Amino acid sequence: MYNFGRKAAVAGLLLSGLAAPALAADIAEPPVVEAPAPMAPVYEEADYGGWYIRGDLGYRKSNMDSPEYVLPFGQVGRFDTHELKGGFSVGGGVGYQVTKYFRTDLTLDYWSKTKFNGGTSGFCGTGLPCTSTDTSSYSALLLLANAYVDIGTWHGITPYVGAGIGGANLKWNSLINTDPDGEFEHEGHSSWRFAYALMAGASYCLTDTTKLDVGYRFSHINGGRMFGYRAGGGPGFDDGINTHEVRAGLRYQFGGRSDCAPPPPVYVPEPEPEPVYTK
């Protein structure tokens, strides 16, 4: 009896040792503690676009080929000398920033009076050869529909190129012709003509919505009548005016997002981290 009881106790100890791993396996795993996902700012491409207004001042220098005029018996004469002085311009417009890189606007500019000086040669009333001096001036309204490509913005500076098409109301004042026979006035002529322009320049961000715009514009106005008939001569015609202009102005955008303003941060969570198990 004693040996049997002793053997039973040993067997019980062995069985309890074997059951211990099984019981440990039934114990619940420790809880998973996940680190909080940090929120990182991710800057997304903003939607650009909006209306803007503009105002510009400029100085221009014009040139043209020698004007022509009709002589008494139908012959065509040309000015021996001619020159156009410089002049100023002032204008404004309204436009729309379609994308970050493309915009359009409609502009109207007034060109101040530009003096014309010329000279002709021929025969005076005495039948002797003589020369004359001729003076006049012109002013214009230039209406253009324009499109621009904004190349990109670096440190607030945005270079651009553009082109425009439209019309100009060119007004010639009276031509005063002076020769040994006296002074004669040829009435000036005004007309609408086809015009186009090519532009290049750069803008600079002054504020989030206001830009300083400095650039160059070449414009061409088609030819037309310059002055009328008087004292055995006329009418006269110019063959078109080419203008080189330096301009500076301000643009104010009051709709959409300007490329002068930084895009707003959009917070996007980072990918979920791997689970972290505590001991």
Side-chain angles (χ1 to χ4, degrees):
M1 289 293 293
Y2 175 78
N3 291 335
F4 176 78
R6 192 175 178 183
K7 290 179 179 180
V10 173
L13 290 172
L14 292 173
L15 289 174
S16 64
L18 292 174
L23 292 172
D26 292 336
I27 298 175
E29 295 181 355
V32 177
V33 179
E34 296 184 358
M39 305 294 284
V42 178
Y43 291 92
E44 294 184 345
E45 184 71 17
D47 291 331
Y48 289 86
W51 293 97
Y52 65 85
I53 55 176
R54 65 180 301 161
D56 301 280
L57 295 173
Y59 178 79
R60 69 188 196 282
K61 189 70 172 67
S62 303
N63 62 73
M64 61 181 178
D65 291 336
S66 179
E68 298 180 346
Y69 56 95
V70 179
L71 293 169
F73 298 101
Q75 306 98 321
V76 175
R78 286 182 175 271
F79 282 78
D80 298 328
T81 60
H82 68 282
E83 179 188 19
L84 289 172
K85 299 292 186 178
F88 293 91
S89 64
V90 59
V94 59
Y96 189 78
Q97 186 81 40
V98 181
T99 69
K100 183 177 181 180
Y101 302 103
F102 180 73
R103 58 188 168 89
T104 63
D105 60 31
L106 183 69
T107 57
L108 178 65
D109 292 87
Y110 170 73
W111 290 2
S112 66
K113 288 184 179 181
T114 299
K115 291 183 178 180
F116 168 84
N117 294 321
T120 59
S121 58
F123 294 92
C124 293
T126 59
L128 298 175
C130 64
T131 61
S132 68
T133 59
D134 301 88
T135 59
S136 182
S137 62
Y138 80 84
S139 58
L141 285 175
L142 181 64
L143 179 65
L144 293 174
N146 310 289
Y148 310 86
V149 175
D150 293 327
I151 300 171
T153 302
W154 297 273
H155 305 290
I157 300 175
T158 305
Y160 66 84
V161 293
I165 189 172
N169 184 272
L170 188 69
K171 179 182 179 181
W172 280 104
N173 293 316
S174 295
L175 178 82
I176 305 300
N177 173 267
T178 304
D179 63 25
D181 290 336
E183 183 177 282
F184 306 93
E185 180 178 346
H186 297 258
E187 183 180 3
H189 191 76
S190 175
S191 62
W192 278 97
R193 309 180 185 184
F194 173 78
Y196 67 86
L198 301 173
M199 294 83 75
S203 64
Y204 177 72
C205 296
L206 297 177
T207 69
D208 288 353
T209 56
T210 306
K211 297 180 179 182
L212 172 67
D213 191 322
V214 179
Y216 161 80
R217 180 170 71 180
F218 167 82
S219 55
H220 173 79
I221 300 175
N222 275 10
R225 178 172 288 194
M226 183 175 174
F227 55 87
Y229 172 84
R230 175 67 191 274
F237 303 87
D238 66 78
D239 59 354
I241 297 175
N242 296 320
T243 299
H244 305 272
E245 186 178 8
V246 178
R247 292 154 49 88
L250 295 175
R251 299 205 317 260
Y252 174 76
Q253 186 166 327
F254 55 89
R257 173 166 292 277
S258 168
D259 56 4
C260 292
V266 180
Y267 290 93
V268 179
E270 293 182 347
E272 294 186 1
E274 295 294 330
V276 178
Y277 296 94
T278 61
K279 294 185 179 181

XYZ file of all heavy atoms in Angstrom, residues 54 102-107 109 142-149 160-168 193-200 216-221 247:
319
model
N -6.712 95.301 -64.093
C -5.357 95.802 -64.300
C -5.395 97.259 -64.734
O -6.370 97.734 -65.326
C -4.624 94.964 -65.353
C -5.209 95.042 -66.759
C -4.418 94.178 -67.729
N -3.023 94.606 -67.782
C -2.032 93.837 -68.233
N -2.284 92.608 -68.644
N -0.800 94.294 -68.271
N -2.045 79.964 -67.483
C -2.720 80.557 -68.645
C -3.776 81.541 -68.159
O -4.546 81.257 -67.240
C -3.384 79.471 -69.493
C -4.090 80.009 -70.712
C -3.363 80.462 -71.806
C -5.472 80.057 -70.759
C -4.007 80.962 -72.929
C -6.127 80.551 -71.875
C -5.391 81.005 -72.959
N -3.807 82.721 -68.813
C -4.799 83.742 -68.485
C -5.137 84.547 -69.739
O -4.396 84.536 -70.724
C -4.299 84.675 -67.383
C -3.002 85.394 -67.720
C -2.439 86.159 -66.520
N -1.092 86.606 -66.770
C -0.767 87.759 -67.327
N -1.745 88.598 -67.683
N 0.490 88.093 -67.536
N -6.242 85.238 -69.684
C -6.696 86.083 -70.790
C -7.211 87.396 -70.211
O -7.633 87.460 -69.052
C -7.818 85.412 -71.596
O -8.956 85.221 -70.754
C -7.372 84.071 -72.147
N -7.189 88.449 -71.024
C -7.818 89.700 -70.600
C -8.214 90.536 -71.807
O -7.788 90.282 -72.943
C -6.943 90.499 -69.625
C -5.582 90.896 -70.184
O -5.474 91.108 -71.409
O -4.621 90.999 -69.400
N -9.051 91.510 -71.544
C -9.498 92.486 -72.542
C -9.012 93.851 -72.066
O -9.319 94.265 -70.946
C -11.023 92.459 -72.660
C -11.641 93.379 -73.718
C -11.296 92.888 -75.114
C -13.158 93.446 -73.542
N -8.243 94.533 -72.916
C -7.630 95.802 -72.514
C -8.026 96.919 -73.467
O -8.243 96.696 -74.668
C -6.096 95.698 -72.480
O -5.610 95.277 -73.770
C -5.650 94.688 -71.427
N -6.499 100.847 -74.251
C -5.430 101.809 -73.992
C -5.667 103.080 -74.798
O -6.083 103.021 -75.963
C -4.070 101.224 -74.376
C -3.659 100.079 -73.471
O -4.044 98.922 -73.755
O -2.965 100.337 -72.480
N -6.701 101.801 -78.428
C -6.307 100.452 -78.826
C -7.082 99.438 -77.987
O -6.940 99.395 -76.766
C -4.804 100.258 -78.635
C -4.228 98.904 -79.037
C -4.376 98.666 -80.541
C -2.758 98.809 -78.634
N -7.927 98.641 -78.636
C -8.750 97.635 -77.967
C -8.251 96.253 -78.383
O -8.261 95.915 -79.569
C -10.218 97.814 -78.357
C -11.215 96.822 -77.758
C -11.286 96.971 -76.239
C -12.600 97.018 -78.383
N -7.825 95.445 -77.391
C -7.221 94.148 -77.679
C -7.790 93.054 -76.779
O -8.031 93.283 -75.584
C -5.704 94.196 -77.479
C -4.878 95.058 -78.429
C -3.429 95.092 -77.963
C -4.964 94.540 -79.863
N -7.989 91.883 -77.360
C -8.251 90.656 -76.599
C -6.940 89.886 -76.546
O -6.377 89.547 -77.593
C -9.343 89.826 -77.268
N -6.450 89.610 -75.340
C -5.105 89.063 -75.160
C -5.129 87.698 -74.482
O -6.039 87.389 -73.710
C -4.264 90.019 -74.294
C -4.322 91.449 -74.785
O -3.773 91.779 -75.830
N -5.002 92.313 -74.041
N -4.089 86.925 -74.749
C -3.876 85.645 -74.073
C -2.405 85.563 -73.674
O -1.524 85.996 -74.438
C -4.250 84.476 -74.980
N -2.138 85.008 -72.481
C -0.780 84.961 -71.950
C -0.471 83.564 -71.432
O -1.357 82.851 -70.942
C -0.604 85.933 -70.781
C -1.084 87.338 -71.035
C -2.411 87.685 -70.830
C -0.206 88.331 -71.473
C -2.853 88.971 -71.043
C -0.644 89.627 -71.687
C -1.973 89.943 -71.474
O -2.411 91.224 -71.693
N 0.802 83.210 -71.496
C 1.320 82.006 -70.857
C 2.256 82.448 -69.746
O 3.278 83.094 -70.002
C 2.065 81.101 -71.862
C 2.699 79.918 -71.145
C 1.103 80.611 -72.942
N 6.358 85.948 -68.422
C 5.231 85.576 -69.276
C 5.484 86.043 -70.708
O 6.299 86.937 -70.968
C 3.921 86.173 -68.760
C 3.859 87.680 -68.822
C 3.488 88.357 -69.989
C 4.175 88.458 -67.709
C 3.450 89.739 -70.046
C 4.133 89.840 -67.754
C 3.762 90.473 -68.917
O 3.729 91.842 -68.978
N 4.763 85.443 -71.635
C 4.695 85.879 -73.025
C 3.214 85.918 -73.402
O 2.381 85.220 -72.795
C 5.466 84.950 -73.979
C 6.959 85.020 -73.709
C 4.983 83.512 -73.850
N 2.877 86.751 -74.401
C 1.478 86.861 -74.776
C 1.292 87.443 -76.161
O 2.244 87.893 -76.812
N 0.048 87.426 -76.606
C -0.319 87.982 -77.908
C -1.739 88.508 -77.822
O -2.552 88.026 -77.019
C -0.196 86.933 -79.010
N -2.033 89.521 -78.636
C -3.363 90.110 -78.641
C -3.819 90.454 -80.046
O -3.000 90.631 -80.962
N -5.129 90.540 -80.220
C -5.710 90.866 -81.518
C -6.929 91.748 -81.278
O -7.623 91.597 -80.264
C -6.089 89.584 -82.301
C -6.489 89.916 -83.729
C -7.198 88.824 -81.593
C -6.679 88.695 -84.602
N -7.152 92.714 -82.167
C -8.290 93.606 -81.990
C -8.296 94.727 -83.003
O -8.031 94.507 -84.196
N -8.564 95.930 -82.536
C -8.655 97.068 -83.439
C -8.218 98.344 -82.759
O -8.105 98.422 -81.533
N -7.947 99.361 -83.572
C -7.519 100.669 -83.066
C -8.295 101.751 -83.798
O -8.460 101.704 -85.024
C -6.024 100.870 -83.281
N -9.145 100.525 -87.399
C -8.262 99.671 -88.193
C -7.928 98.392 -87.416
O -7.986 98.379 -86.183
C -6.956 100.398 -88.522
C -7.137 101.786 -89.131
C -5.797 102.405 -89.407
N -5.886 103.783 -89.885
C -4.838 104.496 -90.271
N -3.610 103.973 -90.207
N -4.992 105.731 -90.700
N -7.574 97.375 -88.149
C -7.149 96.117 -87.523
C -5.815 96.323 -86.811
O -4.942 97.063 -87.282
C -7.003 95.026 -88.584
C -6.412 93.746 -88.071
C -7.178 92.849 -87.343
C -5.075 93.445 -88.300
C -6.629 91.676 -86.862
C -4.512 92.270 -87.824
C -5.294 91.380 -87.102
N -5.644 95.661 -85.663
C -4.403 95.776 -84.894
C -4.090 94.453 -84.213
O -4.989 93.653 -83.916
C -4.517 96.891 -83.855
N -2.814 94.222 -83.969
C -2.396 93.057 -83.173
C -1.182 93.450 -82.338
O -0.554 94.499 -82.562
C -2.072 91.853 -84.071
C -0.857 92.021 -84.954
C 0.432 91.733 -84.491
C -0.987 92.449 -86.277
C 1.547 91.872 -85.305
C 0.114 92.593 -87.098
C 1.381 92.297 -86.599
O 2.483 92.450 -87.408
N -0.843 92.614 -81.365
C 0.262 92.936 -80.457
C 0.935 91.655 -79.988
O 0.313 90.583 -79.930
C -0.239 93.730 -79.262
N 2.213 91.780 -79.647
C 2.997 90.711 -79.036
C 3.626 91.271 -77.767
O 4.150 92.385 -77.769
C 4.092 90.215 -79.997
C 3.606 89.663 -81.337
C 4.813 89.385 -82.251
C 2.800 88.388 -81.147
N 3.582 90.488 -76.675
C 4.038 90.982 -75.378
C 4.998 89.994 -74.712
O 4.947 88.792 -74.973
C 2.849 91.197 -74.430
C 1.904 92.299 -74.849
S 0.678 91.764 -76.073
C -0.428 90.814 -75.050
N 5.852 90.535 -73.858
C 6.717 89.734 -72.992
C 7.048 90.576 -71.767
O 7.171 91.801 -71.857
C 7.994 89.308 -73.709
N 7.224 94.580 -72.140
C 7.405 95.206 -73.458
C 6.261 94.750 -74.357
O 5.827 93.586 -74.299
C 8.744 94.793 -74.054
C 8.847 94.998 -75.557
C 9.114 96.246 -76.093
C 8.643 93.926 -76.426
C 9.196 96.440 -77.466
C 8.724 94.098 -77.802
C 8.998 95.356 -78.321
O 9.067 95.531 -79.672
N 5.758 95.684 -75.182
C 4.704 95.330 -76.136
C 5.021 95.908 -77.502
O 5.295 97.095 -77.633
C 3.342 95.841 -75.665
C 2.205 95.496 -76.641
C 0.841 95.787 -76.062
N 0.568 97.208 -75.946
C -0.562 97.714 -75.456
N -1.499 96.905 -75.010
N -0.734 99.020 -75.398
N 4.989 95.050 -78.507
C 5.057 95.486 -79.904
C 3.650 95.426 -80.465
O 2.957 94.405 -80.328
C 5.968 94.582 -80.728
C 5.825 94.808 -82.216
C 6.484 95.852 -82.837
C 5.009 93.984 -82.982
C 6.342 96.081 -84.197
C 4.864 94.192 -84.347
C 5.536 95.245 -84.955
N 3.211 96.505 -81.090
C 1.882 96.519 -81.696
C 1.961 97.065 -83.118
O 2.810 97.905 -83.431
C 0.897 97.351 -80.853
O 1.395 98.662 -80.648
N 1.062 96.565 -83.942
C 0.977 97.013 -85.339
C -0.458 97.405 -85.629
O -1.400 96.665 -85.321
C 1.409 95.912 -86.301
C 1.177 96.271 -87.736
N 2.018 97.107 -88.438
C 0.169 95.931 -88.591
C 1.556 97.263 -89.670
N 0.439 96.563 -89.794
N -0.625 98.599 -86.230
C -1.929 99.087 -86.658
C -1.898 99.201 -88.173
O -0.981 99.811 -88.747
C -2.248 100.456 -86.027
C -2.261 100.350 -84.499
C -3.589 100.981 -86.531
C -2.452 101.683 -83.803
N 5.933 99.145 -70.671
C 4.756 99.352 -69.840
C 5.006 98.879 -68.409
O 5.787 97.948 -68.179
C 3.556 98.569 -70.411
C 3.075 99.098 -71.725
C 2.363 98.027 -72.562
N 1.358 97.294 -71.858
C 0.076 97.661 -71.748
N -0.308 98.802 -72.308
N -0.803 96.921 -71.109
